Amino acid sequence: MPRSAGYRWFTDPAARQIYAPEEHAFLTRMYAAGLRELVTLRGPDSRAAHLAELLPAHSEECRRVWDDHEIGIRPHEVKHFVHPEVGALELTCQRLVDPGQAHSLMVYTAIPGSESYEKLQVLSVIGTQTLR
């Protein structure tokens, strides 16, 4: 289950640290709605259905939003992160989806010349230094 971002969202507090606090309520609704949508599409014997049975038992927050029966909540195109080295980042997200496998690739970019763009440039240098 740790491969599932939604599972980690509800069971591992560290999964939330990279997101700006003002995004948390929306992300909670989005992950629950996404899981409900997958259960509907894949059926009661699916991995999604198994997650839907497990999560409410492990998370009061999941139980609360699950009872709202929301579906169709999509991620915002612009996301707000908090990086431990450079602070707040505002990044545009493009999502490539493999519907047959329920995998997706997220590509994050910053507007050239923006503060977030400059911070990503700094991270590219910091990252290479930590690899040595």
Side-chain angles (χ1 to χ4, degrees):
M1 304 311 158
R3 291 186 317 164
S4 166
Y7 183 84
R8 288 190 312 271
W9 180 260
F10 288 112
T11 61
D12 181 4
R16 297 169 183 238
Q17 292 176 350
I18 64 167
Y19 295 96
E22 60 270 14
E23 298 286 322
H24 289 196
F26 172 79
L27 291 168
T28 294
R29 290 178 51 231
M30 184 191 75
Y31 281 123
L35 180 58
R36 183 174 290 285
E37 187 174 343
L38 284 174
V39 171
T40 302
L41 291 171
R42 299 211 170 110
D45 295 327
S46 66
R47 182 173 177 265
H50 179 65
L51 277 176
E53 290 174 13
L54 287 177
L55 278 174
H58 289 85
S59 168
E60 167 63 33
E61 181 182 36
C62 182
R63 220 176 6 260
R64 183 176 35 80
V65 294
W66 187 258
D67 290 341
D68 291 339
H69 298 276
E70 291 184 293
I71 62 169
I73 298 175
R74 299 292 177 244
H76 294 142
E77 185 177 319
V78 176
K79 298 185 184 262
H80 298 91
F81 295 98
V82 180
H83 190 278
E85 301 281 336
V86 297
L89 291 166
E90 183 177 283
L91 303 176
T92 300
C93 178
Q94 292 179 306
R95 184 172 178 224
L96 306 172
V97 180
D98 173 9
Q101 297 296 317
H103 295 150
S104 60
L105 172 66
M106 310 285 257
V107 178
Y108 296 97
T109 57
I111 297 171
S114 69
E115 183 178 341
S116 291
Y117 183 86
E118 298 303 322
K119 288 178 179 182
L120 288 180
Q121 299 302 309
V122 169
L123 284 174
S124 72
V125 172
I126 292 172
T128 60
Q129 290 175 354
T130 60
L131 291 174
R132 294 182 185 159

